[in-house]
Amino acid sequence: MRSRSDEELIQALGNRDENALRTLVDRHTASIYRFSVRYTGDESLAQDISQEVFLKLYRYARRFKAGMSFKTWLFSIVRNTSIDMARSYSYRKARSLDASNSTDLLESEGQSLVHAAQNPEESYSSKQTADRVASAVRSLPEKQRMAVILKYYEELPTKEIAEVMETTVSSVESLLVRAKRNLIKLLNL
Amino acid sequence: MSCRKWQVRILRMREAKLGQEDEAALARHLEGCARCRGMAEKFSLVDKALLQSPEPPMPPFLKKKIVSHVIGVMREESLGRRFLPSLGFLNYFRPMVPGVVLVFGIVLGIWTGLNLSHSINSGFTGSSYDLLTQAGIGARERGSSLDFIWTDGNGGER
């Protein structure tokens, strides 16, 4: 039997097709969860975000128009849900994602990462290298972090990232350049 | 052109998005600009570091949890619609709402005003005639609509 496309599944979900929901969850939970963990740095929050995203997919399924890119639409929902939930009061206490604090965060995070890089034992540990990279990405300002995650981990083309982030292609390019310059500092490259 | 703009071109070049002319111009700039050349090398190190970082592991129960939650909501809503009559027809009456509210307000105002005048009138005259009746119908019977001011309730002079 031919497997249904995402576009067909989302239309079926609008008609309360439970099998369509199961297939969509099977296909997309991993990328939604990964995105949320990388964006928020909080596994528990990422689980809540993933659940909320699928609830929104069900509720907004009828708004999906033929001809739209499903992935772009999905990540627009993921992005908005992640921003809303990460900024909500309960999580704000634990983790400040406010852009105004990002510079300080960047500097303090940078110092600790540079310190870590100077220790040879840690440099050879791939686990710790991965942690350093993840930590560096998390300490980027919000928009730069979003652009980097969508570009490098979700492999969206720049044009689609611009659609998801509701901005222009040149803004995304500029964000990516600034993000890379910050990552060079943070990772002491 | 500033180095920052050349760095955007480095980014585009890495995605093979530059035309031949732009690529040649970038190559010429990189030959002469040590800063941008260094940045191009570091950009590729950043790319490598980002692409090598492992994916965060997903909790094994997450998919089941999501499916059961969303299906629960779907069924709840479906059940609600089955037992509650559809109220969609009310939308047809929506444009009439301001008019209905206005008419209701006017009727309520008149009714309240009449009642108020009746109670004031009863207080002065002790009869069931209200001010309007006194001013209209009562005037024919009793001479003047304002007689109640000078007469007591029994028709005698105050």
Side-chain angles (χ1 to χ4, degrees), chain A residues 13 16-18 21-22 25-27 29-30 33-34 37-38 47-48 50-51 54-55 58-59 130 133 137 148 151-153 155 158-159 170 173-174 176-178 180-181 183-184 187 189, chain B residues 3-4 7-8 11-12 14-15 17 35 39 42-47 49-59 61-71 73-75 77-78 81:
Chain A
L13 183 62
R16 298 166 196 270
D17 182 339
E18 293 180 6
L21 173 74
R22 286 191 186 93
V25 168
D26 243 13
R27 279 187 199 170
T29 304
Y33 176 77
R34 276 198 317 257
V37 169
R38 283 178 170 134
Q47 288 176 32
D48 290 348
S50 308
Q51 186 166 292
F54 279 101
L55 202 58
Y58 158 62
R59 293 202 194 284
V133 173
V137 170
V148 164
K151 181 78 192 168
Y152 289 93
Y153 299 120
E155 296 176 350
T158 313
K159 189 169 172 279
S170 57
E173 286 174 338
S174 172
L176 287 169
V177 167
R178 274 184 277 152
K180 283 190 177 190
R181 290 162 71 104
L183 287 171
I184 288 167
L187 297 168
L189 293 172
Chain B
C3 280
R4 183 161 284 201
Q7 285 162 18
V8 171
L11 196 84
R12 286 186 194 152
R14 297 186 63 79
E15 293 174 12
K17 277 194 204 161
R35 191 174 166 215
M39 203 53 87
K42 286 178 179 175
F43 276 6
S44 58
L45 289 176
V46 170
D47 286 355
L50 286 171
L51 295 172
Q52 277 178 350
S53 74
E55 294 182 348
M58 192 178 71
F61 56 85
L62 185 59
K63 286 183 182 177
K64 274 188 185 171
K65 187 181 158 193
I66 291 170
V67 168
S68 71
H69 177 72
V70 180
I71 285 181
V73 172
M74 279 163 79
R75 287 182 183 166
E77 287 183 3
S78 175
R81 285 190 186 189

Side-chain angles (χ1 to χ4, degrees), chain A residues 1-183:
Chain A
M1 193 180 135
R2 183 183 73 90
S3 65
R4 290 191 283 179
S5 69
D6 288 333
E7 288 76 8
E8 288 169 327
L9 288 169
I10 202 71
Q11 277 165 3
L13 183 62
N15 296 322
R16 298 166 196 270
D17 182 339
E18 293 180 6
N19 286 329
L21 173 74
R22 286 191 186 93
T23 313
L24 283 169
V25 168
D26 243 13
R27 279 187 199 170
H28 299 290
T29 304
S31 65
I32 295 169
Y33 176 77
R34 276 198 317 257
F35 175 92
S36 312
V37 169
R38 283 178 170 134
Y39 181 74
T40 62
D42 185 323
E43 290 176 9
S44 162
L45 176 56
Q47 288 176 32
D48 290 348
I49 290 171
S50 308
Q51 186 166 292
E52 187 63 23
V53 165
F54 279 101
L55 202 58
K56 283 186 178 172
L57 279 186
Y58 158 62
R59 293 202 194 284
Y60 301 158
R62 286 171 188 268
R63 294 188 198 173
F64 183 81
K65 302 271 185 306
M68 286 168 85
S69 156
F70 176 78
K71 205 170 178 186
T72 307
W73 188 66
L74 172 68
F75 274 102
S76 299
I77 293 175
V78 177
R79 169 187 175 258
N80 292 331
T81 310
S82 300
I83 290 174
D84 290 347
M85 291 183 73
R87 282 181 176 170
S88 70
Y89 180 68
S90 57
Y91 289 104
R92 203 170 184 168
K93 274 188 203 170
R95 171 173 294 279
S96 170
L97 291 171
D98 195 5
S100 60
N101 294 337
S102 57
T103 318
D104 299 339
L105 193 63
L106 201 65
E107 282 170 9
S108 60
E109 197 73 44
Q111 283 166 0
S112 63
L113 291 171
V114 169
H115 178 72
Q118 285 164 349
N119 184 337
E121 279 178 16
E122 286 180 17
S123 303
Y124 290 109
S125 158
S126 63
K127 168 82 175 74
Q128 281 180 341
T129 306
D131 287 348
R132 278 178 58 215
V133 173
S135 175
V137 170
R138 273 201 304 276
S139 62
L140 288 173
E142 193 178 314
K143 286 184 178 175
Q144 292 178 25
R145 183 171 5 129
M146 183 80 70
V148 164
I149 295 170
L150 291 171
K151 181 78 192 168
Y152 289 93
Y153 299 120
E154 301 309 324
E155 296 176 350
L156 288 188
T158 313
K159 189 169 172 279
E160 285 189 25
I161 297 173
E163 281 174 36
V164 170
M165 294 182 69
E166 295 166 3
T167 184
T168 59
V169 169
S170 57
S171 295
V172 173
E173 286 174 338
S174 172
L175 280 173
L176 287 169
V177 167
R178 274 184 277 152
K180 283 190 177 190
R181 290 162 71 104
N182 283 331
L183 287 171

Side-chain angles (χ1 to χ4, degrees), chain B residues 8-49:
Chain B
V8 171
R9 289 195 173 190
I10 294 170
L11 196 84
R12 286 186 194 152
M13 185 187 70
R14 297 186 63 79
E15 293 174 12
K17 277 194 204 161
L18 273 188
Q20 279 185 341
E21 279 181 27
D22 286 340
E23 205 168 326
L26 177 62
R28 279 197 301 278
H29 175 77
L30 289 179
E31 274 175 29
C33 179
R35 191 174 166 215
C36 284
R37 206 166 47 242
M39 203 53 87
E41 284 167 15
K42 286 178 179 175
F43 276 6
S44 58
L45 289 176
V46 170
D47 286 355
K48 201 177 159 192

Side-chain angles (χ1 to χ4, degrees), chain B residues 104-118:
Chain B
F104 180 74
I106 290 169
V107 169
L108 189 70
I110 291 172
W111 183 75
T112 310
L114 286 175
N115 270 312
L116 198 63
S117 92
H118 174 78

